[in-house]
Amino acid sequence: MIREITVILLIGFVAWAYQATCPPPPNVCGSPGGPAITAPRIKLRDGRHLAYKEHGVSKELAKYKIIFVHGFGSSRHDAAIAANLSPEVVDELGIYIVSFDRPGYGESDPDPKRTRKSLALDIEELADQLGLGSKFYVVGFSMGGQVVWSCLKYISHRLTGAALIAPVINYWWPGFPANLTKEAYYLQLPQDQWALRVAHYAPWLAYWWNTQKLFPPSAVVARRPEIFSAQDVQLMPKLAVRQINRAQVIQQGVHESLFRDMMIGFGTWEFDPMDLENPFPNGEGSVHLWQGDEDRLVPVILQRYISKKLPWIHYHEIPGSGHLIADADGMTEAIIKALLLGDKVTLS
């Protein structure tokens, strides 16, 4: 009898564990009972759809065409470089910007097979279907900055230039010295250290870990105030204006948006960004990396190391700035003019 009860309990535990670690299916936009489709979308090579939003002058009249890649827990509506550029600068320079929902976010279909390469190919296909021409710029913020690394690896031949704004670091990139990543890793809150360990070493537990109630969840997912710098807190009202559509961000489910981001961003990469070669050896384009020295989400010491390993990157470290660097007064214009015109940063 005891043996039979033990077997039943074991089976029950296994069934419970399996159910707890399996995320619910995504609530795909346009499916029966799913969220409505309100955005223009393109159909990709594998049948998925990618939602996008256009800003600035028309692409037919544009001199400069930029694809913006949003960050973690965000969407096509949160395009800081479009929101913060003055209409005068946009018209004077002839700037067209298109932002898009990365897979699983907003109204873009989830991609359970998402990889670092597939994200770059999504961007290339978006450019082709929108008729942006053979060359274009990419700008990525935060987790979107990681996607720019992938673009530099897989579609550099399509780029005129690139900018990474406070790009998120993967602490397991082999090019980092172990002592440096250890120092940077432990600058995070303990719950974020554990969330990243799970994403890297046990991605199949990502859904359970980030939804369970036994241990503190990721402070980044929870948007805890401790993760923001003093300047970030001051800039929060700007974000509030752009995030009126925040309910859309994870409307298809948290697993194929937030948690898939963590698994891809902090998993094992098939390339190390610090092994990349200059995509513009003849000076026909440029790559810029922007970082605030008070960023509590992305340790500045790791960005400094990358800039030394890749001397062809134009590294801009802004004193007193945090993670929301693009929202600081004058920063977006400086970022865009440096990328498009080669202007040096002159901030008052």
Side-chain angles (χ1 to χ4, degrees):
M1 178 67 73
I2 294 176
R3 184 171 60 182
E4 291 174 350
I5 292 175
T6 301
V7 170
I8 291 171
L9 291 175
L10 180 61
I11 292 173
F13 174 78
V14 171
W16 170 85
Y18 176 78
Q19 188 175 27
T21 57
C22 285
N27 192 23
V28 179
C29 286
S31 64
I37 298 170
T38 64
R41 307 199 304 175
I42 63 165
K43 190 173 183 178
L44 297 168
R45 60 200 174 277
D46 59 1
R48 288 182 295 114
H49 294 87
L50 208 65
Y52 65 91
K53 183 177 182 178
E54 296 174 295
H55 318 258
V57 304
S58 70
K59 55 179 176 284
E60 292 77 18
L61 299 177
K63 183 177 180 181
Y64 301 104
K65 299 169 185 176
I66 302 172
I67 296 179
F68 178 77
V69 192
H70 69 75
F72 183 79
S74 189
S75 74
R76 68 189 185 280
H77 297 295
D78 196 16
I81 63 166
N84 295 330
L85 270 183
S86 70
E88 293 76 20
V89 170
V90 171
D91 291 338
E92 176 189 350
L93 297 181
I95 299 173
Y96 164 88
I97 300 170
V98 59
S99 54
F100 68 99
D101 292 333
R102 292 193 283 111
Y105 282 107
E107 296 183 31
S108 287
D109 292 340
D111 183 9
K113 298 179 180 179
R114 196 201 319 176
T115 64
R116 285 147 292 273
K117 185 174 183 178
S118 72
L119 286 165
L121 297 181
D122 285 354
I123 288 175
E124 183 176 35
E125 195 164 354
L126 176 67
D128 289 341
Q129 292 204 34
L130 293 182
L132 302 191
S134 60
K135 299 274 189 176
F136 51 88
Y137 294 87
V138 289
V139 176
F141 167 65
S142 193
M143 289 293 277
Q146 287 194 340
V147 182
V148 174
W149 287 124
S150 295
C151 290
L152 292 169
K153 168 67 175 178
Y154 295 112
I155 61 167
S156 61
H157 60 289
R158 300 296 307 273
L159 304 182
T160 306
L164 304 94
I165 306 171
V168 170
I169 296 294
N170 183 315
Y171 297 89
W172 291 272
W173 285 339
F176 284 130
N179 63 324
L180 189 65
T181 50
K182 182 178 180 180
E183 177 186 352
Y185 192 80
Y186 286 104
L187 292 174
Q188 302 177 97
L189 294 174
Q191 58 260 51
D192 288 327
Q193 296 173 29
W194 279 105
L196 296 194
R197 288 188 186 103
V198 170
H200 183 78
Y201 294 111
W204 51 275
L205 275 178
Y207 176 78
W208 175 80
W209 182 266
N210 288 286
T211 56
Q212 51 79 33
K213 306 299 181 184
L214 300 175
F215 311 104
S218 164
V220 177
V221 173
R223 301 175 69 85
R224 290 271 299 274
E226 300 97 310
I227 66 174
F228 297 107
S229 72
Q231 187 192 67
D232 289 340
V233 173
Q234 293 175 355
L235 294 170
M236 284 297 180
K238 283 189 176 183
L239 268 70
V241 172
R242 289 204 305 272
Q243 294 184 343
I244 56 174
N245 298 290
R246 183 157 181 78
Q248 276 194 5
V249 172
I250 56 172
Q251 64 183 350
Q252 299 184 90
V254 292
H255 186 69
E256 288 300 336
S257 52
L258 304 180
F259 306 154
R260 182 71 61 187
D261 247 11
M262 296 172 71
M263 292 185 286
I264 296 296
F266 299 104
T268 300
W269 285 39
E270 63 273 14
F271 72 94
D272 185 341
M274 283 168 280
D275 290 335
L276 293 176
E277 297 182 356
N278 186 357
F280 308 112
N282 300 316
E284 66 274 28
S286 59
V287 180
H288 298 256
L289 197 161
W290 298 81
Q291 179 67 33
D293 69 348
E294 294 186 7
D295 192 330
R296 295 184 182 178
L297 287 169
V298 183
V300 67
I301 57 175
L302 296 182
Q303 306 288 30
R304 290 170 181 164
Y305 186 83
I306 290 174
S307 70
K308 291 176 182 177
K309 289 280 287 185
L310 302 176
W312 45 268
I313 284 185
H314 300 263
Y315 179 61
H316 312 269
E317 186 174 307
I318 310 301
S321 286
H323 196 62
L324 305 180
I325 183 172
D327 287 296
D329 290 344
M331 278 307 308
T332 292
E333 186 170 328
I335 290 168
I336 293 302
K337 286 188 173 180
L339 177 63
L340 305 184
L341 306 177
D343 286 5
K344 293 183 178 180
V345 181
T346 52
L347 297 173
S348 57

